[in-house]
Amino acid sequence: MTNADREAATATALVAAAKAGDGRAFDSLVKRYRKRIFALALHMTGSAHEADDITQEVFLKAYRALPQFEGRSQFFTWVYRMTVNRSLNSRRDRARRGEDTIDDPRLELAMEVYARGNPGREAELRQTYARLLRALDSLPIDMRTTVILVSLQGMSHGEVGVIQKVSEGTIAWRMHEARRRLHEAMAPEKLQRPRALSAELARLLTEAGMPILMPALKPRA
């Protein structure tokens, strides 16, 4: 049995226990998935406040709808789909109101976790990460959602296809096209040679789950 199989079996057992009236079982489901649901909402909305509200709303909605949950999909797929839909609605509502976030919490969180108080590292990481986030946010919404689920949440094409209700082939095409667009957006001005990332920044972006779009500098011998 793979880790994914064990995870699915555990979640299924917890759902069954929660449906039977075990409140602690649902609390366990929340603890298992809360961080990932919050991270998903944060990347999709760009607002920590909205992400926190969405996370609470999603689990409350899941709890209330649990008696009707038939288990045709995995629990995490169910709550992920609710999170995606709620996040998309939140962004549309904010756009209609003409509102936007001034400070991107995704960028500040990355600085806090990965810069580690190193000014030089922070300067390089902040500039590159900010450009990458802007490029990511400029993608069509369905494509951006696919990238977030695959690259930042580590989900398989099959799992994302279930959440977005499209084929694995569509997910594969979206990822291919997204990489092309992100690479183009991240490239320096035309006719200039692309500046390579330092090996340290490449490693940090990999740890953060962000795609590496430019080659890393080779360490000197």
Side-chain angles (χ1 to χ4, degrees), residues 14-16 18-19 22 25-27 29-31 33-34 37 53-71 73-83 86:
L14 288 171
V15 168
K19 292 179 73 172
D22 186 349
F26 192 81
D27 287 343
L29 287 168
V30 174
K31 290 177 181 178
Y33 297 111
R34 190 186 189 287
I37 292 299
D53 286 346
I54 289 169
T55 300
Q56 294 184 50
E57 290 176 19
V58 163
F59 282 115
L60 180 59
K61 183 178 179 180
Y63 180 76
R64 290 173 174 171
L66 200 60
Q68 288 75 49
F69 178 62
E70 299 178 354
S73 63
Q74 294 184 28
F75 178 80
F76 87 91
T77 302
W78 186 46
V79 294
Y80 265 56
R81 184 179 293 145
M82 285 194 284
T83 305
R86 180 64 183 82

Side-chain angles (χ1 to χ4, degrees), residues 41-183:
L42 178 63
H43 273 290
M44 293 196 66
T45 65
S47 166
H49 176 72
E50 288 185 17
D52 190 55
D53 286 346
I54 289 169
T55 300
Q56 294 184 50
E57 290 176 19
V58 163
F59 282 115
L60 180 59
K61 183 178 179 180
Y63 180 76
R64 290 173 174 171
L66 200 60
Q68 288 75 49
F69 178 62
E70 299 178 354
R72 294 178 182 175
S73 63
Q74 294 184 28
F75 178 80
F76 87 91
T77 302
W78 186 46
V79 294
Y80 265 56
R81 184 179 293 145
M82 285 194 284
T83 305
V84 168
N85 291 337
R86 180 64 183 82
S87 297
L88 292 176
N89 289 336
S90 178
R91 285 188 68 95
R92 292 189 189 106
D93 290 344
R94 196 169 65 202
R96 280 196 295 266
R97 295 193 300 267
E99 298 176 0
D100 200 0
T101 54
I102 298 176
D103 298 318
D104 193 327
R106 298 170 296 176
L107 180 59
E108 299 310 318
L109 181 60
M111 296 306 100
E112 179 181 341
V113 175
Y114 298 107
R116 300 168 186 169
N118 184 317
R121 176 187 294 166
E122 178 175 344
E124 183 183 17
L125 182 58
R126 180 179 290 276
Q127 181 181 32
T128 303
Y129 205 99
R131 288 188 65 192
L132 185 56
L133 288 173
R134 287 195 298 271
L136 177 65
D137 288 346
S138 71
L139 295 175
I141 189 62
D142 288 340
M143 186 180 294
R144 176 158 53 85
T145 302
T146 297
V147 172
I148 290 171
L149 292 171
V150 173
S151 295
L152 305 183
Q153 290 281 306
M155 301 179 73
S156 70
H157 287 192
E159 291 171 329
V160 177
V162 170
I163 291 174
Q164 294 194 285
K165 298 182 179 180
V166 295
S167 68
E168 289 189 43
T170 297
I171 297 301
W173 177 84
R174 286 178 181 174
M175 289 301 297
H176 174 78
E177 180 65 13
R179 290 189 183 99
R180 184 190 69 78
R181 296 189 187 192
L182 290 171
H183 188 280

